[in-house]
Amino acid sequence: MNSPQDLFMICLKNKTAFSLLELTVVVIVLTVLLTFAVPSMYRAYLEKAGTKTALEIQNIQDAARSYYLQKGSWPNSINIPPNDLESAGYLPAGWSAVNPFNSIYNINSTSTILVVSTNVRDRAQNIVASKLPMSSVSGTIVSSAIGIPGGPAAPSVFVVTGSISDGGTIPLPQGYTDNQCQWLVASSQAETYDSSGKGGCENDQYIQAHITNRIVSAYTSGDCRRGYVSNSVNYIGICVNS
């Protein structure tokens, strides 16, 4: 009977190494899997963190309404005494005013409106704003406004921005219909282009853009060239839930 040491040596002698081709195939397969898995995981992270951010903004708004009903004015801050929501007992003690993206929540107010705003990761803005009343987006900052309790109801306004390529369809914000939204697309100057290749037809080219039923057409035009290419343009939409 072979001893354990003998069996180990036999395994070492019979073990064959991976060839370079096999290792290359494994690396390619892993790269392909990561290419698809990482964006999907990141989108799931944005959705989860964005939903939690919207919920926390709603908690701040609910606390601010209760504060207003009892004190007749808006709070000055979330957790900085005096006249803040936390020390006054409208938010739990030790409540963190930091969102899941590690940015703080801010509140600002007028006599009739209180606005909660925070900075989020790029591509999470619309996730957060679509879940909030009277929301707006500026860059990566999402804001949501509420009026005084019992005051006249204001329509929910949602401002959405982004970029899209020729032929793409702008996504409709959750909870809104086409009739409730107005869209604008921006045109911009492209590079100088020489269609002749001989330096005889140089001119500035422009990206022309228009939108029909949220479908964007973006094409390059100028003295030297006009044709549909893979242009990308910016868009802005204003949706009112009246």
Side-chain angles (χ1 to χ4, degrees):
M1 178 179 294
N2 292 324
S3 66
Q5 293 84 355
D6 294 334
L7 292 174
F8 177 74
M9 293 304 297
I10 292 172
C11 290
L12 286 180
K13 291 179 180 179
N14 294 335
K15 181 177 178 60
T16 57
F18 287 109
S19 69
L20 180 59
L21 177 60
E22 291 171 327
L23 289 174
T24 302
V25 171
V26 170
V27 170
I28 292 174
V29 171
L30 289 176
T31 301
V32 171
L33 290 176
L34 288 174
T35 299
F36 287 96
V38 171
S40 178
M41 292 172 62
Y42 186 65
R43 285 193 297 271
Y45 156 72
L46 291 180
E47 182 68 36
K48 182 178 180 179
T51 300
K52 189 172 187 295
T53 299
L55 179 61
E56 291 181 347
I57 290 177
Q58 290 174 339
N59 290 338
I60 296 171
Q61 292 172 333
D62 291 341
R65 288 190 185 96
S66 298
Y67 186 102
Y68 191 98
L69 285 172
Q70 293 197 9
K71 298 182 179 295
S73 62
W74 296 114
N76 290 337
S77 70
I78 296 174
N79 55 4
I80 302 176
N83 302 324
D84 66 299
L85 292 171
E86 184 183 334
S87 66
Y90 295 94
L91 286 172
W95 193 86
S96 175
V98 178
N99 69 25
F101 301 101
N102 203 34
S103 295
I104 63 172
Y105 294 104
N106 295 292
I107 61 174
N108 295 282
S109 63
T110 66
S111 59
T112 58
I113 294 176
L114 179 133
V115 178
V116 183
S117 60
T118 191
N119 194 23
V120 300
R121 292 282 180 86
D122 190 30
R123 292 190 289 172
Q125 306 97 309
N126 296 342
I127 297 173
V128 178
S130 65
K131 303 177 187 299
L132 295 168
M134 293 183 66
S135 58
S136 62
V137 175
S138 177
T140 55
I141 297 177
V142 179
S143 301
S144 177
I146 57 173
I148 59 175
S156 177
V157 178
F158 178 43
V159 179
V160 56
T161 60
S163 61
I164 194 166
S165 298
D166 171 49
T169 301
I170 298 174
L172 192 66
Q174 181 178 347
Y176 293 93
T177 65
D178 280 307
N179 293 334
Q180 294 173 316
C181 299
Q182 295 292 326
W183 301 95
L184 293 172
V185 288
S187 59
S188 60
Q189 184 173 339
E191 63 182 7
T192 298
Y193 178 75
D194 175 13
S195 63
S196 69
K198 300 178 181 179
C201 186
E202 292 188 356
N203 191 18
D204 288 336
Q205 305 298 304
Y206 295 87
I207 298 175
Q208 305 293 332
H210 64 272
I211 179 172
T212 304
N213 297 328
R214 291 187 288 114
I215 301 175
V216 173
S217 296
Y219 56 88
T220 301
S221 66
D223 291 343
C224 298
R225 170 176 61 175
R226 178 184 177 89
Y228 285 87
V229 293
S230 298
N231 289 315
S232 180
V233 296
N234 297 323
Y235 66 84
I236 181 171
I238 301 176
C239 301
V240 179
N241 190 1
S242 55

